[in-house]
Amino acid sequence: MALLITDKCINCDMCDPECPNQAISFGQKVYEIDPHRCTECVGHYEQPTCVSVCPIDCIIKDPAHIESEAQLLEKFVRLHG
Ligand code: SF4
Ligand code: SF4
């Protein structure tokens, strides 16, 4: 499952530089996560690092992009070869 930044985001830019997959960028109003690049940090970290650094806990699981651990690992391999 990719993660999702809610509209509560305060655009503090803490998460963007920490993402190992370059999945976070500034969107129309707030920061956004590209579901094709977010692996929930599988392959890099034990926990999603964006969630760890977000000061207001506005990053949630994206119900529209449900993936298993194996699928997330496949995505990691695809991204990083
Ligand atoms: S969970 Fe990891 S890969 Fe996904 S957006 Fe956050 S930092 Fe990037
Ligand atoms: S760390 Fe949280 S509040 Fe800051 S830009 Fe990222 S999602 Fe938004």
Side-chain angles (χ1 to χ4, degrees):
M1 190 162 351
L3 300 190
L4 179 73
I5 295 173
T6 71
D7 61 6
K8 293 194 177 75
C9 170
I10 55 171
N11 297 331
C12 72
D13 194 39
M14 292 286 283
C15 56
D16 173 10
E18 298 298 329
C19 176
N21 295 324
Q22 288 82 46
I24 304 174
S25 60
F26 188 62
Q28 298 275 27
K29 288 186 179 165
V30 293
Y31 278 75
E32 292 175 352
I33 294 174
D34 179 350
H36 302 293
R37 297 192 67 86
C38 176
T39 62
E40 283 191 48
C41 284
V42 166
H44 286 282
Y45 305 118
E46 290 294 315
Q47 301 292 331
T49 195
C50 56
V51 174
S52 303
V53 300
C54 180
I56 60 160
D57 296 330
C58 68
I59 306 174
I60 62 172
K61 296 207 173 207
D62 184 351
H65 293 96
I66 296 173
E67 292 155 298
S68 68
E69 184 93 3
Q71 287 173 311
L72 291 169
L73 200 53
E74 271 174 34
K75 198 192 296 186
F76 165 78
V77 171
R78 208 164 52 239
L79 287 170
H80 298 281

